[in-house]
Amino acid sequence: MEYTLKNGKTVIIREPKTDDAQALVSLMTTAYTETPFLAGNPGEFTTTPEEESKIIENALNSQTSTWFVAEYEGKVVGQCSVGLKGSRQRLRHRAELGFVILERFCNIGIGGKMMTECLKWCTDNGVTQAELDVVTGNERALNMYKSFGFEIVGTSPKALKYPDGTYADEYRMVKFL
């Protein structure tokens, strides 16, 4: 789906192709160096393009999840995923969401467009509860999630431990659809 952004340019939110494997590896490798808000440290993303290509193939065949990339000016600059919490009937109304956007492409609306596609997938798949985790200090993401109607339902203390020994808490957020 093509969207117009705050800066007047367009972004395409689409499922990844196996040809995107190298771009996705580069995206994650870079993102891990740009922000303390992801679950890994710089250098910890070690998936090869070949492995990533297989992950993409599996994702495209999944009936319980999907994955989107954000293509801006011909480059993959973000990705998001959404998937059911579990296969058991009692969990199939819940979906988990996750987002990554390169720092220089933040604040122009890409995250919101990815969220729109994830929530559409939820609705199309009978999900009534969308869930995500966000580091408490990640104000930009927190504000976006709140703008979509997500509410904080709890805090996980010391959810992330950094190499210097410090910790970050995470909020658990939920949106009822």
Side-chain angles (χ1 to χ4, degrees):
M1 178 66 79
E2 188 170 313
Y3 293 97
T4 301
L5 300 170
K6 295 175 189 177
N7 64 3
K9 295 183 179 185
T10 60
V11 65
I12 297 169
I13 308 298
R14 60 172 175 78
E15 289 185 327
K17 302 175 285 203
T18 54
D19 290 350
D20 293 320
Q22 180 59 57
L24 286 163
V25 168
S26 295
L27 167 79
M28 293 306 297
T29 301
T30 301
Y32 272 36
T33 66
E34 291 183 331
T35 179
F37 301 131
L38 297 177
N41 293 314
E44 286 187 331
F45 188 83
T46 59
T47 303
T48 67
E50 294 77 26
E51 292 167 333
E52 191 75 6
S53 184
K54 286 181 179 33
I55 293 167
I56 292 168
E57 286 178 16
N58 290 336
L60 294 175
N61 293 320
S62 175
Q63 300 299 309
T64 60
S65 65
T66 196
W67 185 7
F68 297 105
V69 296
E71 184 180 319
Y72 180 81
E73 297 184 329
K75 292 172 36 176
V76 174
V77 301
Q79 69 170 356
C80 59
S81 61
V82 56
L84 299 181
K85 288 285 287 185
S87 61
R88 294 193 173 97
Q89 189 61 39
R90 290 183 181 183
L91 297 175
R92 292 186 65 83
H93 69 289
R94 297 169 60 196
E96 186 79 24
L97 287 70
F99 296 82
V100 176
I101 304 171
L102 292 175
E103 182 65 31
R104 67 187 176 277
F105 300 101
C106 290
N107 295 323
I108 58 174
I110 292 172
K113 303 312 180 194
M114 290 194 305
M115 178 65 81
T116 297
E117 290 297 321
C118 284
L119 294 177
K120 181 182 181 314
W121 183 91
C122 287
T123 301
D124 291 347
N125 286 276
V127 171
T128 58
Q129 185 170 320
E131 306 176 13
L132 54 83
D133 295 317
V134 59
V135 174
T136 58
N138 190 350
E139 292 295 325
R140 182 172 49 217
L142 190 58
N143 289 334
M144 193 222 11
Y145 300 149
K146 286 180 178 179
S147 77
F148 275 88
F150 282 81
E151 298 178 9
I152 297 169
V153 295
T155 303
S156 180
K158 297 184 176 183
L160 301 179
K161 183 177 181 182
Y162 297 109
D164 67 1
T166 61
Y167 295 89
D169 298 344
E170 284 184 334
Y171 289 132
R172 184 68 174 163
M173 299 187 80
V174 172
K175 175 183 174 67
F176 297 101
L177 305 169

